[in-house]
Amino acid sequence: MIIINKQYKKYFSNFEFYDFKNLTGNIHRKCKNRTTLEFILQQKKFFIKKHAKIGWQEIFKNICLGKKNIKGALNEVKAIILLHQIHINTINVIAYGYTKHIMPYQQSFLISEKLTDCIGVDNLVKNKQNWQKLKKHIIKKTAKIIKIMHNTG
């Protein structure tokens, strides 16, 4: 199943599930079952987070450790939708897809636009003078966001 935001159908209308899974680009993060990469399509920058199958071993390990199993990209899609509902700025879901397999064998992906006009905290900290000026503001803004999230469950 593939869901594409109406505004972005022109970019992805001919894509099948494995076209999304086979996208290549600049890898930003890679771990056991997830890869996040930046790619360009029709001169527009996007990010895709690809979730590979996790297998029964990972599911049983999480059960034994009392951890929730991550259901591929669906958890992140639900979180993004919730953040929008409570008016917290975050990325937009451009496309989401998954295979119709049982959870241990399911694969999924989430596509978002590349955020622009953003500065990572790690870059802010490098400039000590700016960091000291912005530190209180960032703490207050973060506390406000956490309070909103906490109050909405």
Side-chain angles (χ1 to χ4, degrees):
M1 160 143 323
I2 299 171
I3 301 165
I4 302 172
N5 182 317
K6 284 184 262 181
Q7 296 172 303
Y8 295 89
K9 287 208 186 256
K10 66 181 177 186
Y11 295 99
F12 304 107
S13 61
N14 296 326
F15 275 53
E16 297 290 329
F17 182 84
Y18 288 98
D19 294 321
F20 287 104
K21 290 295 284 187
N22 292 326
L23 285 168
T24 58
N26 182 25
I27 295 176
H28 283 255
R29 245 184 222 112
K30 187 172 179 74
C31 59
K32 188 175 177 183
N33 298 317
R34 286 186 307 274
T35 303
T36 302
L37 62 90
E38 179 182 348
F39 68 97
I40 299 172
L41 188 63
Q42 298 177 24
Q43 290 85 39
K44 191 149 180 69
K45 292 183 179 183
F46 297 95
F47 274 92
I48 184 167
K49 186 180 278 187
K50 303 176 187 181
H51 290 258
K53 58 186 177 185
I54 59 172
W56 286 110
Q57 182 179 356
E58 184 73 14
I59 289 172
F60 291 131
K61 180 188 89 175
N62 288 341
I63 290 169
C64 291
L65 294 173
K67 289 182 173 181
K68 267 188 164 180
N69 280 303
I70 294 174
K71 296 177 181 123
L74 182 59
N75 289 11
E76 193 169 348
V77 170
K78 287 179 177 179
I80 292 166
I81 291 168
L82 178 63
L83 289 172
H84 281 290
Q85 289 172 346
I86 60 176
H87 308 288
I88 293 178
N89 289 335
T90 188
I91 61 174
N92 293 312
V93 176
I94 303 304
Y96 163 67
Y98 62 92
T99 56
K100 291 186 177 185
H101 296 110
I102 60 173
M103 192 173 76
Y105 305 110
Q106 189 178 76
Q107 298 178 63
S108 61
F109 68 86
L110 165 69
I111 294 182
S112 64
E113 280 185 306
K114 178 180 171 102
L115 295 176
T116 56
D117 299 327
C118 297
I119 299 171
V121 174
D122 52 336
N123 288 327
L124 279 175
V125 174
K126 287 178 186 174
N127 185 332
K128 300 283 186 205
Q129 188 177 11
N130 282 347
W131 174 243
Q132 291 306 318
K133 291 177 185 175
L134 293 172
K135 189 175 178 179
K136 271 188 182 174
H137 175 72
I138 291 170
I139 291 169
K140 284 181 183 178
K141 185 76 172 171
T142 303
K144 182 180 177 183
I145 290 169
I146 292 169
K147 182 179 179 183
I148 292 168
M149 291 170 65
H150 178 75
N151 290 340
T152 57

